[in-house]
Amino acid sequence: MIPTEDASARKREIEEKLKQEQETLSFIRENLEKSDQLTKGMVSILSSFESRLMQLENSIIPVHKQTENLQRLQENVDKTLSCMDHVISYYHVAKDTDRIIREGPTGRLDEYLACIAKIQKAVEYFQDNNPDSPELNTVKARFEKGKELLEAEFRSLLTRYSKPVPPILILDAISVDDELEVQEDVVLEHLPEAVLQDIICIAGWLVEYGRNQDFMNVYFQIRSNQLDRSIKGLKDHFRKNSASSGILYSPAVQTKRKDTPTKKAPKRPVYIPGTIRKAQNLLKQYSQHGLDGKKGGSNLTPLEGYDHDLRVKHLSDALTEKHGAAAGKDDVLDIEIDSYIHCISAFVKLAQSEYALLAEIIPEHHQKKTFDSLIQEALDNLMLEGDNIVSAARRAIMRHDYSAVLTIFPILRHLKLNKSEFDSTLQGTAASTKNKLPTLITSMETIGAKALEEFADSIKNDPDKEYNMPKDGTVHELTSNAILFLQQLLDFHETAGAMLASQETSSSASSYTSEFNKRLLSTYICKVLGNLQLNLLSKSKVYEDSALSAIFLHNNYNYILKSLEKSELIQLVTVTQKKAESSYRELIEQQIQMYKSSWVKVTEHLTDRNMPVFQPGTKLKDKERQVIKDKFKGFNDGLEELCKIQKGWAIPDKEQRDFIRQSQKKVVSDAYRAFLQRCANISFTKNPEKYHKYRAEEVEEMIERLFDTSA
């Protein structure tokens, strides 16, 4: 049971809490009442505000709509006025642009094009809105006039500023300095930059708005003329400079001009003027005239070991007499050949430059066709000149002047070296254009191969004319000409080999390799040498004296061998004839032995044959004395006769001449000394000086003077 005091305390605590809760409840009621009052006041205010807003809206919306309509009307009025101004401006375009159009675009292209644009818009407006109006015809006529003047300006700018490229610049462009590690490309500026930009601008307008391609025809005609004039100018430059100074600056000649700091060297040393002329002179003398019979001998190129002092004078006289008048023509030919070679290189470089210029002006889909037309005149002229060279060579070959093929070699080699670049430049042109160079190359190869074959046949069939034989047994003109011709082939061995290969029809020739061409050329050279050997052997029979015949063959064989070795022709020969060198040495030795046999009729008198057998101190019989006298007389007469005859013979090779002299001197001298020793104690005559005319030393001196026309 809870104590009474605790219960009282508990009761008091509860009552106090109840009192507090009642106070809190009373506070909440008061606040709720205030909140309700505030809410009612707010609702009243909002209702009043809503009412006022509705009144305001009902008043403003009509005003707003009216204002919006007014603004729309204002905009329409402004637009109408603007359109009216725009339309009215089209009616004034012709008048506003009249002065500028009449004065043309020169000097103010941008302003002129702006006027053309206005006229073009007026044309479009009238076509769309009033196609029957007279104003349409007016602006159309003005537009056409403006277009015509633009086309005229295009032509005028091209004509006025298109100039032939100076030859000096062309030569710089086609040359290259091997001493420079980094090459500087020579830029060929055909038009001033400002003019070029105007031309590009006009061309662009004509393509986009003019709808006229006539300007492309104008372009290729003007630029084609300048391209052709540039090449002709280079040609004239060569003729003038070569004629005055003989100095040619070119990719074919390793010389440098004094008037340029570029120090250009040859791009490809394809041809040096004058190197072929000497061969042509000598070959022409043989093929067209032959020797005149007044002076025996031949035209020899200098060879180490050959003593030309024996024959230089009359050879020089013969050349001067026969070719002095022709020298001028040969110089001209050299210039023409070198000029043509340069013009080929110049055409490629100029054509490339022209295409670069054209690509900036002509629309892409018209570039190839326009370029094809542009280069036709210059290309046709080059091909025509090449055809003329082929025709001249063909006519010369018909006259048996095989030296003409020598003019084709440098040209053909240059054409083939440049063919890939040529083809690349003409890429995209018509097939007929691209085939022009290959056709010319084929023509040159065909005529060249024909000349080579006919030359080989001419060597074989050269007639054995007595008046055409050297009186002293020296090298025949046929030999020197043949060797000279072959030496020229060595300089152009790749071209000559390809020439011969071009005529092959066998399956082995289907793929022309360098080695195949080399073997063909080696076979050809061996054929010429074989024909020459057979002809020389036949010619040697013209001589009545077998010893002179042997000297003649010896000189020719020795000259052939020395020429082959000196010019490195022997390396080509040994491709197919491994023992060619030893074969010629055997032939030379055979002829030396044949010559030595001519002295048997002299030395046979010094032998013991028919020599009387006697004892020292015994007296010889008359018959025995006569035998000894006859031996002395036979030796003396034979020695004198041979020395007199053979002194006029010639062995140009000093080494061979000395060898044969020494060899023969030893044989005769030894036999003569032995004979004198046997007859030393024999009394066979009262006048020994009559028979013993020469001492052994004198005999040697006489033999030492053999083959010496100056003695």
Side-chain angles (χ1 to χ4, degrees), residues 151-169:
E151 292 173 348
E153 179 70 3
F154 183 86
R155 178 189 292 273
S156 175
L157 288 175
L158 267 180
T159 304
R160 192 182 321 140
Y161 293 99
S162 290
K163 305 295 181 185
V165 181
I168 300 300
L169 285 182

Side-chain angles (χ1 to χ4, degrees), residues 152-406:
E153 179 70 3
F154 183 86
R155 178 189 292 273
S156 175
L157 288 175
L158 267 180
T159 304
R160 192 182 321 140
Y161 293 99
S162 290
K163 305 295 181 185
V165 181
I168 300 300
L169 285 182
I170 297 176
L171 291 172
D172 283 339
I174 63 179
S175 303
V176 65
D177 193 339
D178 295 332
E179 297 176 0
L180 297 179
E181 294 182 1
V182 179
Q183 300 298 331
E184 296 182 3
D185 291 335
V186 178
V187 179
L188 301 177
E189 185 178 288
H190 298 287
L191 297 169
E193 183 61 28
V195 174
L196 175 60
Q197 293 306 318
D198 283 352
I199 290 175
I200 292 173
C201 187
I202 294 173
W205 189 92
L206 290 174
V207 170
E208 186 173 357
Y209 302 109
R211 294 175 176 80
N212 188 351
Q213 298 181 5
D214 290 344
F215 78 95
M216 300 182 196
N217 296 331
V218 171
Y219 179 84
F220 89 70
Q221 289 168 1
I222 294 174
R223 293 308 307 169
S224 174
N225 182 50
Q226 297 308 321
L227 174 60
D228 191 53
R229 288 177 62 192
S230 297
I231 294 176
K232 287 179 179 177
L234 178 64
K235 201 175 297 183
D236 292 339
H237 171 78
F238 268 90
R239 289 170 182 164
K240 292 176 183 177
N241 286 11
S242 300
S244 60
S245 64
I247 298 175
L248 298 178
Y249 167 68
S250 65
V253 185
Q254 299 189 13
T255 58
K256 296 180 175 63
R257 295 196 324 278
K258 296 180 181 179
D259 58 345
T260 176
T262 54
K263 296 183 180 179
K264 296 294 180 180
K267 184 178 182 181
R268 294 187 183 98
V270 294
Y271 169 66
I272 301 177
T275 57
I276 289 179
R277 182 173 65 249
K278 180 179 179 182
Q280 288 179 307
N281 285 343
L282 301 180
L283 289 170
K284 284 179 180 177
Q285 180 181 355
Y286 163 67
S287 61
Q288 293 180 334
H289 306 293
L291 288 177
D292 55 13
K294 295 179 181 178
K295 295 178 181 177
S298 63
N299 300 304
L300 303 180
T301 54
L303 278 180
E304 185 178 354
Y306 274 74
D307 184 2
H308 286 282
D309 291 340
L310 298 178
R311 311 193 52 77
V312 160
K313 187 178 186 303
H314 74 263
L315 287 176
S316 176
D317 291 342
L319 281 175
T320 302
E321 179 182 352
K322 291 201 171 191
H323 298 288
K329 293 182 179 179
D330 291 323
D331 289 336
V332 172
L333 180 61
D334 283 333
I335 296 168
E336 292 299 326
I337 294 172
D338 198 51
S339 172
Y340 185 71
I341 288 173
H342 285 77
C343 288
I344 291 293
S345 295
F347 171 80
V348 173
K349 185 61 68 175
L350 290 172
Q352 292 171 347
S353 179
E354 286 290 346
Y355 190 83
L357 177 66
L358 175 146
E360 296 187 72
I361 299 172
I362 304 299
E364 184 176 359
H365 55 287
H366 291 288
Q367 289 174 3
K368 293 296 184 182
K369 182 179 179 181
T370 305
F371 178 68
D372 197 344
S373 301
L374 189 154
I375 62 174
Q376 281 304 313
E377 183 178 2
L379 180 59
D380 286 343
N381 287 339
L382 283 176
M383 295 302 106
L384 177 60
E385 191 172 348
D387 290 337
N388 289 339
I389 292 172
V390 172
S391 298
R394 184 178 290 109
R395 290 192 298 270
I397 292 168
M398 291 176 66
R399 299 192 306 268
H400 307 294
D401 174 14
Y402 305 109
S403 65
V405 72
L406 298 178

Side-chain angles (χ1 to χ4, degrees), residues 662-673:
Q662 294 301 323
S663 177
Q664 195 58 43
K665 185 168 61 175
K666 177 174 175 52
V667 172
V668 176
S669 177
D670 288 351
Y672 188 52
R673 291 178 189 277

